[in-house]
Amino acid sequence: KNEVEQSPQNLTAQEGEFITINCSYSVGISALHWLQQHPGGGIVSLFMLSSGKKKHGRLIATINIQEKHSSLHITASHPRDSAVYICAAHFGNEKLTFGTGTRLTIIP
Amino acid sequence: GAVVSQHPSWVICKSGTSVKIECRSLDFQATTMFWYRQFPKQSLMLMATSNEGSKATYEQGVEKDKFLINHASLTLSTLTVTSAHPEDSSFYICSARRGQGEQYFGPGTRLTVT
């Protein structure tokens, strides 16, 4: 069964802290997405990756194919990073399977 | 990055009426578009997949006669909620993909049926 699990479900941190959100999946995938959803609801695609590591500004995404695990890191976190972060995996077909999301709150 | 827009961003309609939501890929041609539904504090649920010029493929449990999807061009897909009922109130999100590339998500449309 194609499953995607995220941890933690909720994360509260102080401004400036280094943040890590984890995502594990059940079987081999062709690609994994990290998405950001703000309270207003709109979704932003942060990364799509199938191997290695990608970096954009303060965001870093890594994936370990052998361990079936991906992480999203935020350096020097800021209150505007507060959002729900979702990982979603392509299990070789058209559909994305979504994790349940990690609600991140950064306190000033 | 690529931009996908949705219109309207929010809509309130009366029970029994129909509502059309547009999804546009603004700077690329989307061979495939996806429509999702999201209830509060829940994850996105795929409703249907549409390829330009062909009929949409609906997920199990999604009524094709109630949620009409048209993907008439490589930059536009529409979702029409017919004879809307209060239980159709939800957040509807589209995404677009070119070939086997990355999916780009629209900002979503919040539908409230009174």
Side-chain angles (χ1 to χ4, degrees):
Chain A
K1 187 180 175 184
N2 299 338
E3 290 182 338
V4 176
E5 290 188 2
Q6 281 186 242
S7 63
Q9 283 192 326
N10 294 284
L11 178 58
T12 301
Q14 291 289 133
E15 182 174 356
E17 285 190 41
F18 181 80
I19 303 299
T20 296
I21 299 170
N22 297 299
C23 178
S24 299
Y25 49 90
S26 54
V27 295
I29 62 171
S30 55
L32 185 136
H33 293 251
W34 279 102
L35 311 171
Q36 179 192 56
Q37 186 171 30
H38 278 283
I43 288 181
V44 175
S45 298
L46 299 176
F47 298 104
M48 183 180 81
L49 64 167
S50 53
S51 65
K53 175 179 173 178
K54 285 189 176 180
K55 184 177 189 294
H56 182 70
R58 294 181 295 106
L59 301 177
I60 304 166
T62 63
I63 189 167
N64 184 315
I65 300 298
Q66 286 74 31
E67 294 186 4
K68 299 184 180 62
H69 180 269
S70 175
S71 292
L72 176 68
H73 305 285
I74 305 175
T75 61
S77 59
H78 190 276
R80 64 174 173 267
D81 297 326
S82 298
V84 175
Y85 292 84
I86 303 167
C87 74
H90 277 291
F91 287 96
N93 58 25
E94 292 275 330
K95 307 173 195 179
L96 279 174
T97 299
F98 293 86
T100 52
T102 295
R103 186 172 299 276
L104 174 66
T105 304
I106 303 297
I107 300 170
Chain B
V3 177
V4 174
S5 71
Q6 280 186 241
H7 178 80
S9 55
W10 60 271
V11 57
I12 302 172
C13 71
K14 291 189 175 180
S15 188
T17 61
S18 295
V19 175
K20 181 185 283 188
I21 302 170
E22 292 185 350
C23 175
R24 293 183 186 271
S25 57
L26 298 183
D27 53 359
F28 69 101
Q29 293 185 323
T31 48
T32 307
M33 286 186 170
F34 305 86
W35 285 96
Y36 298 88
R37 185 174 181 177
Q38 186 181 35
F39 291 106
K41 297 190 184 298
Q42 293 189 23
S43 192
L44 281 72
M45 182 186 75
L46 180 66
M47 299 175 67
T49 302
S50 75
N51 293 294
E52 185 264 340
S54 60
K55 288 184 179 179
T57 302
Y58 289 81
E59 294 300 298
Q60 193 171 10
V62 178
E63 299 174 60
K64 63 178 69 176
D65 294 330
K66 180 166 186 60
F67 298 100
L68 301 178
I69 291 171
N70 184 282
H71 191 167
S73 77
L74 285 170
T75 58
L76 174 64
S77 176
T78 59
L79 167 68
T80 302
V81 182
T82 62
S83 187
H85 287 279
E87 57 264 30
D88 298 325
S89 298
S90 189
F91 193 58
Y92 292 88
I93 301 166
C94 75
S95 72
R97 189 175 74 188
R98 177 176 52 205
Q100 295 300 310
E102 188 164 352
Q103 268 183 245
Y104 297 94
F105 288 80
T109 296
R110 189 163 300 284
L111 170 64
T112 302
V113 184
T114 61

